[in-house]
Amino acid sequence: MSTEQTASIDAGIQGALGRKLRESYEEVVRETVPDKFLQLLDQLKKSEKDKAGES
């Protein structure tokens, strides 16, 4: 029989980690999506609509 142990992080450490992660990803979140990705997403949406219409 095994007992599960859960790891816990001090609230202060959790807060500091959260702030650092937000700082690190803030620049990435503000970047614009490249046109090629937008085109691929549009193609995917169209493909999904076409498949849904076939059912």
Side-chain angles (χ1 to χ4, degrees), residues 41-54:
L41 287 170
D42 286 340
Q43 289 174 5
L44 179 61
K45 285 179 191 176
K46 184 181 181 305
S47 173
E48 289 175 347
K49 283 182 185 178
D50 291 346
K51 285 182 184 179
E54 292 176 4

Side-chain angles (χ1 to χ4, degrees), residues 14-27 29:
Q14 260 185 327
L17 286 171
R19 283 189 298 279
K20 286 294 183 184
L21 284 170
R22 282 190 292 279
E23 289 172 13
S24 297
Y25 288 103
E26 185 175 343
E27 184 177 326
V29 170

